[in-house]
Amino acid sequence: MDVATVRSPTPSPSRRILSSFPPVASLSLLRGPRPSNRLFALRRRGIWTACGGAETLVAGNQREESKSPASGKKVKKDEGIDLKSWLHSQGLPPCKVLLKERAPQDGKHCSIHYVAASDDLQAGDVAFSVPNSLVVTLERVLGDETVAELLTTNKLSELACLALYLMYEKKQGRESFWYPFIRELDRQRGRGQLAVESPLLWSESELSYLTGSPTKTEVLERGEGIKREYNELDTVWFMAGSLFKQYPYDIPTEAFPFEIFKQAFVAVQSCVVHLQKVSLARRFALVPLGPPLLAYKSNCKAMLTASGEHVQLVVDRPYKAGESIVVWCGPQPNSRLLLNYGFVDEDNPYDRLTIEASLNMEDPQYQDKRIVAQRNGKLAIQTFQVQVGREKEAILDMLPYLRLGYVSDPSEMQSVISSQGPVCPVSPCMERAVLKQLFDYFTSRLATYPTTLSEDEALLADENLDPKKRVATQLLRLEKKMLNSCVQGTVDLIDQLPDNSVSPCPAPYAPILK
């Protein structure tokens, strides 16, 4: 379900926002400013009020939801559009799930719903099967598969198109077919299983929680990408005949300020599902009863899959009645889970750190080294992945590349060029220099974090810790653990060198690590 894994090898700048991907922000505050055009104003049906004080996607408000049955018809009307009841009324077959409620951690928002088993389930059981008529895809939004492919090539991502569609649907109020679904999305406010919004919606002070982590930079870059998508909205709106006909007076950038589009985009990002073995116009889907009502888990293998005229969930483990149902989120590191869904998985086997190494372009032998690197499957600028639990393997994978960068004698370089494989002549002196550079790199990355591991542990022991601070601290703690393992692995290799008294060799054109 990792949207990032399906992008083309050379995405345009406006599409790269998905490559760092992706629970999320809500579709709240999606209502645009009051238009001056009278005809435009007449199209605005329904006054949508707040849940917990913020404007939302839904027509009801928190006061209505909290009234007792004896208080009147308003409660009864809202109960009539309960998401699951609405789905059954629109063709959802009998299923083995129900919606349960969980109180928010921060006490500032509405409680969130989640999908739980209504009966005992065994691995292989179909929990639910949603008809395609109740699934939102680009094919449905744009009405034409060819147009869908055209619009999402070098212009907008699928997420942006889906977000634009839901924003327009919100303007229809209760008259929108998707009203009950949008109502539920807004209730969630993209908070998912930990009730934390994506860092894309955090304030500047809240982003400081991520100081030291590359994720902070990724958040800022993703925000810039969303801005580029927003600037393309009007062009695509005119190209999409179905959108233009349905909303002829609602030019996107006039109807929706950027901050509102950003919230909608992040909300869609949190719940979009990547379907396999379907046409391109159906591969990204919004599935009622899917995320964020379903919790993500890295070690789960159950996925929402397209099956004929339905999208169904076959569970991969037994559940007792009332237990929350989980699905696989794809092989995503914790940095992406936080960015896309607002949570960190402590048991994530796919967690990783990225190291960028590059040959020094000032090296007189740069071109020869670049050719040797390419011959061995590496680039002049090479990315290495440090997988959790496999830190020493990552170091061993990096060593041949770094050794190549340290070769300075022309005769040695000729020997490397004529040899087969990634092996360079290595002296203890050179090996120590290579390992010393790695050691300095890992320790310098650790020094960028404002807290130590023990301080992180103390913070997480505080039951009253702000949820955003908690999830950020969890991420930083796991990153530091990997870096500490890298430091220890490097020290172990240094200790294996034959002569500890040898000083490191000079390296005038050492590789560059980022």
Side-chain angles (χ1 to χ4, degrees), residues 122-430:
Q122 299 300 319
D125 286 351
V126 176
F128 60 78
S129 185
V130 179
N132 288 342
S133 60
L134 296 173
V135 176
V136 184
T137 63
L138 285 186
E139 183 178 49
R140 182 183 184 108
V141 170
L142 302 175
D144 185 283
E145 183 174 345
T146 302
V147 172
E149 293 184 31
L150 175 65
L151 294 183
T152 56
T153 301
N154 299 321
K155 286 293 183 181
L156 287 187
S157 66
E158 291 88 344
L159 300 191
C161 290
L162 292 172
L164 181 60
Y165 175 71
L166 287 186
M167 288 194 296
Y168 279 133
E169 282 299 307
K170 177 186 173 177
K171 293 169 72 70
Q172 308 305 310
R174 292 179 180 271
E175 295 183 27
S176 169
F177 173 79
W178 298 109
Y179 170 80
F181 182 36
I182 294 175
R183 178 180 188 268
E184 187 61 48
L185 288 178
D186 196 56
R187 179 186 184 89
Q188 298 295 114
R189 298 183 61 84
R191 292 168 288 156
Q193 60 230 63
L194 293 182
V196 176
E197 296 172 333
S198 163
L200 288 166
L201 298 182
W202 291 9
S203 66
E204 185 175 345
S205 62
E206 290 167 340
L207 280 179
S208 67
Y209 300 156
L210 296 171
T211 298
S213 172
T215 305
K216 184 176 181 179
T217 299
E218 293 177 22
V219 170
L220 299 175
E221 291 175 348
R222 180 82 67 86
E224 293 173 357
I226 296 174
K227 180 66 174 180
R228 289 192 294 269
E229 297 254 36
Y230 177 76
N231 292 334
E232 295 283 359
L233 287 181
D234 291 352
T235 301
V236 174
W237 177 75
F238 282 113
M239 291 172 63
S242 60
L243 287 177
F244 183 84
K245 292 175 183 177
Q246 192 168 358
Y247 314 103
Y249 306 103
D250 301 18
I251 298 175
T253 56
E254 292 184 6
F256 310 108
F258 169 66
E259 286 303 319
I260 290 177
F261 171 73
K262 183 179 180 180
Q263 291 176 32
F265 183 99
V266 176
V268 168
Q269 174 183 277
S270 73
C271 55
V272 72
V273 175
H274 178 210
L275 298 176
Q276 305 289 333
K277 300 178 181 179
V278 296
S279 65
L280 292 177
R282 292 184 56 212
R283 62 181 177 175
F284 291 99
L286 303 177
V287 184
L289 297 182
L293 296 172
L294 285 173
Y296 278 135
K297 189 67 178 174
S298 297
N299 61 9
C300 175
K301 293 302 179 184
M303 297 177 63
L304 287 166
T305 57
S307 178
E309 297 301 313
H310 295 77
V311 173
Q312 67 179 20
L313 174 65
V314 178
V315 297
D316 69 332
R317 61 192 66 189
Y319 290 92
K320 294 292 184 182
E323 288 184 342
S324 174
I325 294 179
V326 297
V327 293
W328 190 41
C329 49
Q332 302 185 61
N334 279 322
S335 59
R336 190 163 296 171
L337 294 181
L338 178 59
L339 185 61
N340 296 337
Y341 314 117
F343 81 102
V344 168
D345 190 344
E346 296 276 356
D347 301 317
N348 185 356
Y350 305 102
D351 204 11
R352 63 180 182 266
L353 294 174
T354 299
I355 298 174
E356 181 185 284
S358 58
L359 299 173
N360 195 322
M361 295 184 66
E362 297 180 0
D363 189 341
Q365 301 182 96
Y366 170 78
Q367 292 299 336
D368 288 339
K369 292 182 179 180
R370 182 177 62 84
I371 292 171
V372 171
Q374 289 178 342
R375 190 175 67 191
N376 290 283
K378 299 293 190 290
L379 302 172
I381 301 177
Q382 179 64 40
T383 297
F384 294 91
Q385 301 293 341
V386 180
Q387 301 285 345
V388 63
R390 303 174 61 184
E391 292 85 357
K392 193 166 185 177
E393 293 178 33
I395 294 172
L396 294 175
D397 184 42
M398 294 176 63
L399 286 179
Y401 185 89
L402 298 178
R403 290 167 183 155
L404 175 63
Y406 272 76
V407 174
S408 57
D409 187 283
S411 62
E412 289 184 353
M413 192 65 230
Q414 287 304 311
S415 175
V416 172
I417 292 173
S418 60
S419 67
Q420 298 296 321
V423 178
C424 294
V426 179
S427 66
C429 174
M430 178 186 292

Side-chain angles (χ1 to χ4, degrees), residues 426-496:
V426 179
S427 66
C429 174
M430 178 186 292
E431 188 76 345
R432 187 176 300 278
V434 172
L435 292 172
K436 178 66 164 55
Q437 183 182 9
L438 274 176
F439 175 84
D440 291 343
Y441 168 77
F442 293 132
T443 53
S444 65
R445 278 191 65 163
L446 280 168
T448 62
Y449 294 96
T451 58
T452 64
L453 271 175
S454 59
E455 290 171 334
D456 291 342
E457 297 288 353
L459 278 173
L460 294 174
D462 180 4
E463 296 181 355
N464 298 317
L465 185 64
D466 175 81
K468 293 177 182 176
K469 179 73 170 177
R470 177 176 298 279
V471 75
T473 303
Q474 288 176 324
L475 176 72
L476 269 54
R477 181 185 59 167
L478 293 171
E479 289 179 350
K480 292 171 196 174
K481 285 185 175 181
M482 283 189 280
L483 288 171
N484 275 319
S485 294
C486 288
V487 170
Q488 186 59 52
T490 306
V491 170
D492 291 344
L493 292 173
I494 292 175
D495 290 343
Q496 294 174 19

Side-chain angles (χ1 to χ4, degrees), residues 11-76:
S12 67
S14 65
R15 292 166 62 89
R16 288 195 187 112
I17 54 177
L18 296 179
S19 66
S20 55
F21 239 30
V24 145
S26 100
L27 291 178
S28 64
L29 298 174
L30 294 187
R31 182 176 60 182
R34 184 176 300 278
S36 57
N37 184 294
R38 185 172 182 271
L39 182 57
F40 188 8
L42 290 175
R43 292 178 52 80
R44 296 177 48 79
R45 296 184 283 270
I47 304 301
W48 295 18
T49 58
C51 180
E55 186 181 12
T56 65
L57 285 175
V58 298
N61 61 32
Q62 184 70 9
R63 289 188 300 273
E64 289 178 336
E65 291 177 358
S66 63
K67 288 180 181 178
S68 65
S71 62
K73 297 181 179 180
K74 288 184 178 180
V75 170
K76 185 175 181 180

